[in-house]
Amino acid sequence: MSYEHIVTTTRGPVGIITLNRPDAMNALCADLIDQLCISIDEFENDQSIRSVVLTGGNKIFAAGADVKEMQDKGFIDVYLADFITKGWERVASCRKPIIAAVSGYALGGGCELAMMCDFILADESAKFGQPEITIGAIPGAGGTQRLARAIGKSKTMEMCLTGRMMDVQEAERSGLVSRIIPSGDLLSEAVKTAETIASMSLPIAILAKESVNRAFETSLAEGLLFERRAFHSTFATRDQKEGMSAFVAKRKPKFKDC
Ligand code: DAK
């Protein structure tokens, strides 16, 4: 399917979504978010796709929600319409593993979108920030919450209160970015990483993802219990039998997603 503000492609088992509003720094207008949701639905429903990469291309990830679209709205407009809530959490609810590949600015809603992915790979040009305060607003899609969980209170406060951006070294040091990739290699490395994930058992990968995500939703005791039960449930799958017997037989496993 073709879209106005995003481009979707596939490389084998990996679905790639590229944000594509270059004239507006990939600002995340309502239509773009709608198209992003549809593309994720498509990849979720496509059984040949086993992992997803979300990128903005090699110049910019996204400079946030579309300021021009929201500047004239009043409180009652945004409150009654629950403005830009619809669709924004779709990336976070994607069941298939999804990697953010960030080049250039990931600001405001752009940083929030990257954080909704399972992890972030970034190249040397990446810059992360929550600059909403500089335009008289605050983050609205997880910037005060997911960022604080990722990098802690002190840095999050500083970024949200001053609008200061982090370069990629600081973002990697702080735990926001899992790995820094040399510029030019980002997409291929993200796809390679997504292919590695795609070679695993999909139900087991989803269980792993759900278990990590519990760490952000619950107490340690509840999270550990969830993890243990999820671990137990892997023993109900043929893929666990295949994985362990392949290990013992010193061969590569052939997972069947069952
Ligand atoms: N919105 C609309 N247009 C944008 C934009 C944005 N966020 N960012 C850039 N542009 C447009 C510029 O207006 C300019 O357009 P023209 O003048 O050419 O028509 C074009 O992109 C190029 O931008 P610049 O001329 O500014 O380029 P520079 O290289 O000088 O600067 C920059 C690049 C990325 C540093 C700068 O553009 C910038 O600071 N952009 C705005 C960053 C920002 O304030 N972002 C936060 C926006 S608020 C929620 C969900 C999400 C959100 C809230 C709630 N819910 C689920 C409830 C999110 C809110 C936000 O993200």
Side-chain angles (χ1 to χ4, degrees):
M1 185 163 164
S2 69
Y3 301 92
E4 188 185 354
H5 298 313
I6 63 170
V7 175
T8 59
T9 49
T10 59
R11 293 221 194 134
V14 180
I16 304 169
I17 303 171
T18 306
L19 308 174
N20 186 34
R21 281 189 81 200
D23 296 343
M25 297 265 158
N26 285 346
L28 304 163
C29 62
D31 286 347
L32 186 153
I33 293 295
D34 284 347
Q35 292 162 24
L36 179 60
C37 291
I38 296 169
S39 67
I40 291 176
D41 288 346
E42 278 197 8
F43 284 149
E44 291 259 55
N45 293 332
D46 182 341
Q47 294 201 349
S48 69
I49 297 300
R50 306 170 63 78
S51 56
V52 179
V53 171
L54 175 63
T55 184
N58 55 15
K59 290 209 172 69
I60 182 155
F61 186 73
D66 193 321
V67 177
K68 292 168 187 164
E69 199 174 66
M70 63 185 161
Q71 62 176 336
D72 293 326
K73 293 191 187 292
F75 169 75
I76 289 298
D77 304 324
V78 295
Y79 180 64
L80 285 184
D82 211 5
F83 176 62
I84 59 176
T85 298
K86 185 173 138 296
W88 267 85
E89 289 284 326
R90 184 64 189 92
V91 169
S93 68
C94 181
R95 296 193 79 215
K96 291 183 179 170
I98 179 163
I99 303 171
V102 175
S103 283
Y105 295 112
L107 303 179
C111 185
E112 291 167 317
L113 198 59
M115 289 192 289
M116 286 177 204
C117 295
D118 295 324
F119 58 94
I120 302 174
L121 299 176
D123 74 12
E124 287 142 354
S125 70
K127 281 195 164 53
F128 298 85
Q130 297 292 160
E132 290 88 344
I133 196 154
T134 68
I135 55 168
I138 71 165
T144 66
Q145 303 301 302
R146 288 195 177 94
L147 191 61
R149 283 164 165 80
I151 68 172
K153 173 182 165 184
S154 192
K155 278 183 185 288
T156 303
M157 278 289 189
E158 190 197 349
M159 290 172 73
C160 291
L161 292 176
T162 68
R164 178 175 82 80
M165 293 180 208
M166 276 182 157
D167 65 20
V168 75
Q169 279 79 18
E170 185 181 4
E172 194 264 347
R173 252 192 341 264
S174 311
L176 181 61
V177 161
S178 70
R179 269 189 301 137
I180 304 172
I181 311 297
S183 295
D185 296 343
L186 179 66
L187 186 61
S188 59
E189 184 58 32
V191 169
K192 206 169 118 198
T193 306
E195 281 169 349
T196 299
I197 296 169
S199 73
M200 309 297 172
S201 163
L202 184 59
I204 304 296
I206 293 174
L207 275 174
K209 172 171 166 158
E210 286 179 347
S211 295
V212 174
N213 281 332
R214 289 312 289 171
F216 300 99
E217 303 288 350
T218 190
S219 68
L220 179 61
E222 288 298 321
L224 289 171
L225 182 61
F226 184 95
E227 179 195 76
R228 198 167 312 131
R229 294 291 176 250
F231 169 76
H232 291 158
S233 72
T234 63
F235 286 72
T237 67
R238 289 196 192 146
D239 283 344
Q240 173 266 338
K241 302 287 172 291
E242 167 63 11
M244 293 193 183
S245 53
F247 173 79
V248 172
K250 301 187 189 300
R251 62 172 173 80
K252 263 189 98 176
K254 288 194 189 115
F255 294 122
K256 298 253 166 61
D257 292 347
C258 59

